[in-house]
Amino acid sequence: MKHLLAAADLSPTEIRFLMDAAKKFSTVDSAPLLQGKTIVNLFFENSTRTRTSFEVAIRKLGAGALNFAASTSSVAKGETLIDTAKNIEAMGPHAIIVRHASAGSPLFLSKNVSVPVINAGDGFHEHPTQALLDLYTMEEKLGDVKGKRVVILGDIAHSRVARSNIHILRKMGASVAVCAPPTLLPPVPETLGVDFAYRPEELLREADVVMCLRIQLERQNRMQLPSLAEYTAFWGLSRERAKLLKPGAIVLHPGPVNRGVELDTEVADGPRSAILNQVYNGVLVRMAVLATVMDRPKLEKWMKG
Ligand code: CP
């Protein structure tokens, strides 16, 4: 693993190693494995959880974080992605974390810079560290995901979170199903390689995990839904609909949550919710990813110590 570009690239062995490393990081406050290194957070899209948790992870590993926000940079004057990255690379960072609206940007960067590149979300393509922290949270709450039923509910068609989760969960033996209105599923849902249904009631009773996805309000001017109220009425995880879940089933959401749209506040803040566990675990998993791509031998030695 020189880079982390996509969950699709990870083998089950690599995923297990990252989970083991994250678990080990949960036992310490900090682990200065990357002391003296500088890591750039190159964010061309907004973020709260991913950018901040990478920054916390960088600090806990003893490295320095350099935060770049496109909105206050020379990108606003028209500088290209590659020029921006080349100029930042010239300052000598040891790794670049990138979020960009265009699918494939991290791959493109990895071919043009000499340091490790980590994908923090690229367009509709992938969000691999989100799926890794989701897996960590599921294992923490439910144990091995092999054979567990994971239902992903929401805007599947536009979701990089869904895509990365499908790759990781299938590799780890989970049984995955997606649910959305037809306009928020890919045109041929079978291409996802998982079960699908158009109504949540068909899937909720069997779920061990329900992962609600954000309705991307910024895209709704394309009229993929007749109205948000209709989405909430038929696909939202309301308190009533959550009553269909079996005891022990958990609710996840990558955030930010549109409260009262895809998820009722009572469910988001209720006993089944592991949403804030996801956020906490994001730091551990991102520590594992950074230490793995930047100095795996040192990480392995530390894990054995
Ligand atoms: N889950 C996630 O990617 O959240 P942010 O957009 O806040 O980083």
Side-chain angles (χ1 to χ4, degrees):
M1 271 178 73
K2 163 132 199 255
H3 309 282
L4 176 58
L5 303 175
D9 299 337
L10 293 173
S11 69
T13 308
E14 286 169 322
I15 295 167
R16 179 54 46 211
F17 177 79
L18 291 168
M19 293 298 107
D20 290 347
K23 179 106 177 143
K24 181 81 176 172
F25 283 126
S26 76
T27 64
V28 295
D29 282 339
S30 60
L33 300 176
L34 300 180
Q35 209 145 31
K37 309 277 190 202
T38 301
I39 301 167
V40 179
N41 263 324
L42 189 60
F43 274 59
F44 293 84
E45 279 189 326
N46 295 342
S47 169
T48 296
R49 282 145 290 269
T50 311
R51 195 192 61 70
T52 311
S53 63
F54 264 120
E55 188 174 343
V56 174
I58 290 166
R59 289 179 186 202
K60 282 176 175 266
L61 289 167
L66 195 159
N67 288 312
F68 169 97
S71 57
T72 54
S73 75
S74 289
V75 170
K77 301 176 201 162
E79 193 164 22
T80 62
L81 168 64
I82 192 65
D83 280 343
T84 304
K86 285 280 188 197
N87 277 270
I88 285 181
E89 188 190 23
M91 297 176 210
H94 300 92
I96 297 176
I97 298 159
V98 62
R99 169 172 286 191
H100 199 282
S102 296
S105 309
L107 174 65
F108 176 68
L109 271 194
S110 72
K111 293 182 184 303
N112 285 281
V113 297
S114 56
V115 296
V117 174
I118 296 163
N119 181 359
D122 61 329
F124 297 157
H125 176 226
E126 279 233 29
H127 193 348
T129 58
Q130 178 68 46
L132 288 167
L133 75 87
D134 291 338
L135 174 66
Y136 187 93
T137 307
M138 290 179 218
E139 290 189 344
E140 180 183 58
K141 293 286 179 190
L142 304 172
D144 192 350
V145 296
K146 197 172 168 65
K148 297 278 189 321
R149 186 66 155 166
V150 181
V151 173
I152 308 178
L153 172 62
D155 184 354
I156 308 295
H158 301 110
S159 177
R160 55 196 179 201
V161 173
R163 228 170 297 285
S164 290
N165 263 286
I166 288 169
H167 284 301
I168 293 219
L169 289 167
R170 288 182 67 200
K171 286 176 189 184
M172 301 315 278
S175 159
V176 184
V178 298
C179 179
T183 50
L184 296 182
L185 279 172
V188 185
E190 290 82 357
T191 56
L192 293 169
V194 297
D195 301 329
F196 68 95
Y198 296 119
R199 293 304 313 275
E201 286 74 10
E202 293 175 42
L203 296 170
L204 289 180
R205 289 177 186 84
E206 67 198 39
D208 296 293
V209 179
V210 183
M211 182 182 297
C212 294
L213 300 176
R214 183 172 75 92
I215 287 296
Q216 303 187 37
L217 299 171
E218 64 274 23
R219 302 189 206 287
Q220 288 315 314
N221 57 0
R222 294 188 201 161
M223 297 305 291
Q224 282 147 337
L225 295 169
S227 72
L228 279 186
E230 179 163 294
Y231 180 85
T232 303
F234 289 96
W235 288 277
L237 191 60
S238 61
R239 191 176 55 151
E240 285 309 307
R241 213 164 261 135
K243 284 182 186 159
L244 298 175
L245 294 170
K246 59 190 181 189
I250 61 168
V251 174
L252 303 182
H253 192 302
V257 176
N258 296 308
R259 288 172 180 264
V261 178
E262 68 265 5
L263 189 56
D264 264 9
T265 282
E266 282 175 63
V267 184
D269 299 337
R272 293 184 184 281
S273 172
I275 295 173
L276 292 180
N277 303 81
Q278 290 174 275
V279 176
Y280 176 74
N281 293 336
V283 174
L284 305 177
V285 162
R286 289 174 175 128
M287 288 174 82
V289 167
L290 289 167
T292 301
V293 297
M294 293 179 71
D295 198 341
R296 183 166 176 157
K298 196 168 179 183
L299 170 62
E300 285 182 354
K301 196 169 162 204
W302 177 78
M303 286 169 71
K304 285 184 191 136

